[in-house]
Short mmCIF file of all heavy atoms in Angstrom, two decimals:
data_model
loop_
_atom_site.label_atom_id
_atom_site.label_comp_id
_atom_site.label_asym_id
_atom_site.label_seq_id
_atom_site.Cartn_x
_atom_site.Cartn_y
_atom_site.Cartn_z
N ARG C 1 0.83 -1.21 -0.01
CA ARG C 1 0.01 0.00 -0.01
C ARG C 1 0.86 1.25 -0.01
O ARG C 1 0.60 2.20 -0.75
CB ARG C 1 -0.94 -0.01 1.22
CG ARG C 1 -1.95 -1.15 1.19
CD ARG C 1 -2.73 -1.22 2.49
NE ARG C 1 -3.64 -0.08 2.61
CZ ARG C 1 -3.94 0.53 3.76
NH1 ARG C 1 -3.36 0.15 4.88
NH2 ARG C 1 -4.80 1.54 3.76
N LEU C 2 1.90 1.27 0.85
CA LEU C 2 2.75 2.46 0.88
C LEU C 2 3.58 2.58 -0.39
O LEU C 2 3.82 3.69 -0.88
CB LEU C 2 3.66 2.44 2.11
CG LEU C 2 4.56 3.68 2.27
CD1 LEU C 2 3.74 4.98 2.34
CD2 LEU C 2 5.44 3.56 3.51
N GLN C 3 4.00 1.45 -0.95
CA GLN C 3 4.73 1.51 -2.21
C GLN C 3 3.90 2.20 -3.30
O GLN C 3 4.40 3.07 -4.04
CB GLN C 3 5.10 0.08 -2.67
CG GLN C 3 5.86 0.04 -3.99
CD GLN C 3 5.93 -1.36 -4.56
OE1 GLN C 3 4.90 -1.96 -4.91
NE2 GLN C 3 7.15 -1.89 -4.66
N GLN C 4 2.64 1.81 -3.39
CA GLN C 4 1.75 2.45 -4.38
C GLN C 4 1.58 3.93 -4.11
O GLN C 4 1.57 4.75 -5.04
CB GLN C 4 0.41 1.74 -4.38
CG GLN C 4 0.45 0.30 -4.83
CD GLN C 4 -0.90 -0.38 -4.63
OE1 GLN C 4 -1.88 0.01 -5.26
NE2 GLN C 4 -0.93 -1.39 -3.75
N ALA C 5 1.44 4.27 -2.82
CA ALA C 5 1.27 5.69 -2.47
C ALA C 5 2.53 6.49 -2.83
O ALA C 5 2.44 7.59 -3.39
CB ALA C 5 0.97 5.82 -0.99
N LEU C 6 3.68 5.96 -2.52
CA LEU C 6 4.94 6.66 -2.87
C LEU C 6 5.05 6.88 -4.37
O LEU C 6 5.44 7.96 -4.81
CB LEU C 6 6.15 5.85 -2.34
CG LEU C 6 6.34 5.78 -0.83
CD1 LEU C 6 7.48 4.83 -0.49
CD2 LEU C 6 6.57 7.14 -0.22
N ALA C 7 4.72 5.83 -5.13
CA ALA C 7 4.77 5.98 -6.60
C ALA C 7 3.77 7.05 -7.05
O ALA C 7 4.05 7.85 -7.96
CB ALA C 7 4.47 4.64 -7.26
N HIS C 8 2.59 7.08 -6.42
CA HIS C 8 1.58 8.08 -6.76
C HIS C 8 2.10 9.50 -6.47
O HIS C 8 1.77 10.44 -7.20
CB HIS C 8 0.31 7.81 -5.95
CG HIS C 8 -0.76 8.83 -6.11
ND1 HIS C 8 -1.52 8.95 -7.28
CD2 HIS C 8 -1.21 9.80 -5.27
CE1 HIS C 8 -2.37 9.94 -7.15
NE2 HIS C 8 -2.22 10.47 -5.94
N TRP C 9 2.91 9.64 -5.44
CA TRP C 9 3.47 10.96 -5.11
C TRP C 9 4.71 11.27 -5.91
O TRP C 9 5.37 12.28 -5.66
CB TRP C 9 3.78 10.99 -3.61
CG TRP C 9 2.55 10.84 -2.74
CD1 TRP C 9 1.30 11.28 -2.99
CD2 TRP C 9 2.48 10.14 -1.50
NE1 TRP C 9 0.44 10.92 -1.99
CE2 TRP C 9 1.14 10.22 -1.06
CE3 TRP C 9 3.42 9.45 -0.70
CZ2 TRP C 9 0.70 9.64 0.14
CZ3 TRP C 9 2.98 8.88 0.49
CH2 TRP C 9 1.65 8.97 0.90
N GLY C 10 5.06 10.42 -6.83
CA GLY C 10 6.16 10.71 -7.74
C GLY C 10 7.51 10.19 -7.34
O GLY C 10 8.53 10.55 -7.93
N VAL C 11 7.56 9.32 -6.31
CA VAL C 11 8.84 8.79 -5.88
C VAL C 11 9.35 7.78 -6.90
O VAL C 11 8.64 6.85 -7.28
CB VAL C 11 8.72 8.12 -4.47
CG1 VAL C 11 10.03 7.44 -4.10
CG2 VAL C 11 8.36 9.18 -3.44
N GLN C 12 10.58 7.97 -7.33
CA GLN C 12 11.23 7.10 -8.29
C GLN C 12 12.58 6.65 -7.76
O GLN C 12 13.05 7.15 -6.74
CB GLN C 12 11.41 7.83 -9.63
CG GLN C 12 10.13 8.34 -10.25
CD GLN C 12 10.39 9.15 -11.50
OE1 GLN C 12 11.54 9.33 -11.92
NE2 GLN C 12 9.33 9.67 -12.11
N ALA C 13 13.20 5.72 -8.47
CA ALA C 13 14.54 5.28 -8.11
C ALA C 13 15.47 6.47 -8.03
O ALA C 13 15.48 7.32 -8.92
CB ALA C 13 15.06 4.27 -9.12
N GLY C 14 16.22 6.55 -6.93
CA GLY C 14 17.15 7.66 -6.74
C GLY C 14 16.61 8.78 -5.91
O GLY C 14 17.38 9.61 -5.37
N ASP C 15 15.26 8.88 -5.75
CA ASP C 15 14.68 9.88 -4.85
C ASP C 15 14.94 9.47 -3.41
O ASP C 15 15.29 8.31 -3.12
CB ASP C 15 13.18 10.01 -5.10
CG ASP C 15 12.85 10.73 -6.38
OD1 ASP C 15 13.70 11.53 -6.85
OD2 ASP C 15 11.76 10.49 -6.92
N ARG C 16 14.76 10.43 -2.50
CA ARG C 16 14.95 10.13 -1.08
C ARG C 16 13.61 10.15 -0.34
O ARG C 16 12.75 11.00 -0.60
CB ARG C 16 15.87 11.16 -0.42
CG ARG C 16 17.33 10.78 -0.43
CD ARG C 16 18.01 11.03 -1.74
NE ARG C 16 18.14 12.44 -2.03
CZ ARG C 16 18.53 12.92 -3.21
NH1 ARG C 16 18.85 12.09 -4.19
NH2 ARG C 16 18.63 14.21 -3.42
N VAL C 17 13.45 9.19 0.55
CA VAL C 17 12.30 9.14 1.47
C VAL C 17 12.89 9.22 2.89
O VAL C 17 13.78 8.43 3.24
CB VAL C 17 11.49 7.86 1.30
CG1 VAL C 17 10.42 7.75 2.37
CG2 VAL C 17 10.85 7.82 -0.10
N ALA C 18 12.40 10.15 3.68
CA ALA C 18 12.95 10.36 5.03
C ALA C 18 11.93 10.03 6.09
O ALA C 18 10.73 10.26 5.92
CB ALA C 18 13.39 11.83 5.20
N ALA C 19 12.41 9.47 7.20
CA ALA C 19 11.56 9.14 8.32
C ALA C 19 12.08 9.84 9.57
O ALA C 19 13.24 9.69 9.92
CB ALA C 19 11.52 7.63 8.56
N TYR C 20 11.22 10.62 10.19
CA TYR C 20 11.51 11.30 11.46
C TYR C 20 10.66 10.56 12.49
O TYR C 20 9.61 11.03 12.87
CB TYR C 20 11.13 12.76 11.31
CG TYR C 20 11.39 13.69 12.47
CD1 TYR C 20 12.39 13.46 13.40
CD2 TYR C 20 10.64 14.86 12.60
CE1 TYR C 20 12.63 14.34 14.43
CE2 TYR C 20 10.87 15.75 13.64
CZ TYR C 20 11.85 15.49 14.55
OH TYR C 20 12.07 16.38 15.59
N MET C 21 11.13 9.38 12.88
CA MET C 21 10.24 8.39 13.46
C MET C 21 10.84 7.63 14.62
O MET C 21 12.05 7.46 14.71
CB MET C 21 9.87 7.37 12.38
CG MET C 21 8.91 7.87 11.33
SD MET C 21 7.21 7.94 11.93
CE MET C 21 6.79 6.19 12.02
N PRO C 22 9.96 7.09 15.49
CA PRO C 22 10.40 6.09 16.48
C PRO C 22 10.74 4.79 15.79
O PRO C 22 10.45 4.58 14.60
CB PRO C 22 9.18 5.94 17.40
CG PRO C 22 8.25 7.07 17.06
CD PRO C 22 8.54 7.42 15.63
N ASN C 23 11.29 3.86 16.57
CA ASN C 23 11.59 2.51 16.07
C ASN C 23 10.32 1.68 16.17
O ASN C 23 10.11 0.92 17.12
CB ASN C 23 12.71 1.92 16.92
CG ASN C 23 13.05 0.51 16.51
OD1 ASN C 23 12.78 0.07 15.39
ND2 ASN C 23 13.65 -0.25 17.43
N MET C 24 9.45 1.79 15.16
CA MET C 24 8.13 1.14 15.18
C MET C 24 7.82 0.54 13.81
O MET C 24 8.53 0.81 12.82
CB MET C 24 7.07 2.15 15.61
CG MET C 24 6.90 3.33 14.68
SD MET C 24 5.75 4.58 15.34
CE MET C 24 4.21 3.64 15.48
N PRO C 25 6.78 -0.26 13.68
CA PRO C 25 6.53 -0.95 12.41
C PRO C 25 6.39 -0.04 11.21
O PRO C 25 6.84 -0.39 10.11
CB PRO C 25 5.23 -1.71 12.70
CG PRO C 25 5.27 -2.00 14.16
CD PRO C 25 5.91 -0.78 14.76
N GLU C 26 5.75 1.13 11.37
CA GLU C 26 5.58 2.00 10.22
C GLU C 26 6.92 2.47 9.65
O GLU C 26 7.03 2.74 8.45
CB GLU C 26 4.71 3.21 10.62
CG GLU C 26 3.23 2.91 10.72
CD GLU C 26 2.84 2.16 11.99
OE1 GLU C 26 3.70 1.95 12.86
OE2 GLU C 26 1.65 1.79 12.10
N THR C 27 7.94 2.59 10.48
CA THR C 27 9.26 2.96 10.00
C THR C 27 9.84 1.85 9.16
O THR C 27 10.46 2.09 8.11
CB THR C 27 10.19 3.28 11.19
OG1 THR C 27 9.48 4.03 12.16
CG2 THR C 27 11.41 4.07 10.71
N VAL C 28 9.67 0.61 9.59
CA VAL C 28 10.13 -0.54 8.81
C VAL C 28 9.39 -0.59 7.48
O VAL C 28 10.00 -0.79 6.42
CB VAL C 28 9.90 -1.85 9.60
CG1 VAL C 28 10.44 -3.04 8.80
CG2 VAL C 28 10.54 -1.77 10.98
N ILE C 29 8.09 -0.39 7.50
CA ILE C 29 7.29 -0.40 6.29
C ILE C 29 7.75 0.69 5.33
O ILE C 29 7.88 0.46 4.12
CB ILE C 29 5.79 -0.21 6.65
CG1 ILE C 29 5.28 -1.43 7.42
CG2 ILE C 29 4.95 0.06 5.40
CD1 ILE C 29 3.97 -1.19 8.16
N ALA C 30 8.05 1.88 5.87
CA ALA C 30 8.53 2.98 5.03
C ALA C 30 9.84 2.65 4.36
O ALA C 30 10.05 2.91 3.16
CB ALA C 30 8.66 4.24 5.88
N MET C 31 10.76 2.05 5.13
CA MET C 31 12.05 1.68 4.54
C MET C 31 11.88 0.66 3.43
O MET C 31 12.46 0.77 2.33
CB MET C 31 12.97 1.14 5.62
CG MET C 31 14.37 0.74 5.15
SD MET C 31 14.47 -0.94 4.47
CE MET C 31 14.30 -1.89 5.97
N LEU C 32 11.07 -0.36 3.66
CA LEU C 32 10.90 -1.42 2.67
C LEU C 32 10.17 -0.91 1.44
O LEU C 32 10.53 -1.26 0.31
CB LEU C 32 10.13 -2.59 3.30
CG LEU C 32 10.88 -3.37 4.38
CD1 LEU C 32 9.94 -4.30 5.13
CD2 LEU C 32 12.04 -4.16 3.79
N ALA C 33 9.16 -0.08 1.62
CA ALA C 33 8.44 0.47 0.48
C ALA C 33 9.32 1.36 -0.36
O ALA C 33 9.32 1.31 -1.60
CB ALA C 33 7.20 1.23 0.96
N ALA C 34 10.11 2.20 0.30
CA ALA C 34 11.00 3.11 -0.43
C ALA C 34 12.05 2.34 -1.21
O ALA C 34 12.25 2.56 -2.42
CB ALA C 34 11.66 4.09 0.54
N THR C 35 12.70 1.39 -0.55
CA THR C 35 13.79 0.68 -1.23
C THR C 35 13.26 -0.32 -2.27
O THR C 35 13.99 -0.68 -3.20
CB THR C 35 14.69 -0.03 -0.20
OG1 THR C 35 13.92 -0.92 0.61
CG2 THR C 35 15.38 0.99 0.70
N SER C 36 12.01 -0.76 -2.13
CA SER C 36 11.44 -1.62 -3.16
C SER C 36 11.35 -0.89 -4.50
O SER C 36 11.45 -1.50 -5.57
CB SER C 36 10.06 -2.13 -2.74
OG SER C 36 9.09 -1.08 -2.77
N LEU C 37 11.18 0.43 -4.45
CA LEU C 37 11.11 1.27 -5.64
C LEU C 37 12.49 1.70 -6.15
O LEU C 37 12.59 2.31 -7.19
CB LEU C 37 10.28 2.51 -5.37
CG LEU C 37 8.78 2.32 -5.11
CD1 LEU C 37 8.17 3.59 -4.57
CD2 LEU C 37 8.08 1.85 -6.37
N GLY C 38 13.52 1.41 -5.35
CA GLY C 38 14.84 1.91 -5.69
C GLY C 38 15.12 3.28 -5.13
O GLY C 38 16.12 3.93 -5.47
N ALA C 39 14.21 3.80 -4.26
CA ALA C 39 14.45 5.06 -3.59
C ALA C 39 15.45 4.85 -2.46
O ALA C 39 15.68 3.71 -2.01
CB ALA C 39 13.16 5.65 -3.05
#
């Protein structure tokens, strides 16, 4: 779901996704979704 959302917002390989976050599941999800796209 987050991968699709990131792509919808224009995230492509080489872009950066930043997390200002605690050590919680959503942070893991964000990392995996971003890197799945090559971000």
Side-chain angles (χ1 to χ4, degrees):
R1 296 173 71 215
L2 182 57
Q3 180 192 64
Q4 295 173 64
L6 291 174
H8 176 73
W9 297 325
V11 174
Q12 301 176 1
D15 287 335
R16 269 80 67 190
V17 173
Y20 183 27
M21 287 283 289
N23 178 22
M24 62 186 299
E26 283 77 5
T27 318
V28 183
I29 293 163
M31 181 276 288
L32 292 168
T35 57
S36 71
L37 293 168

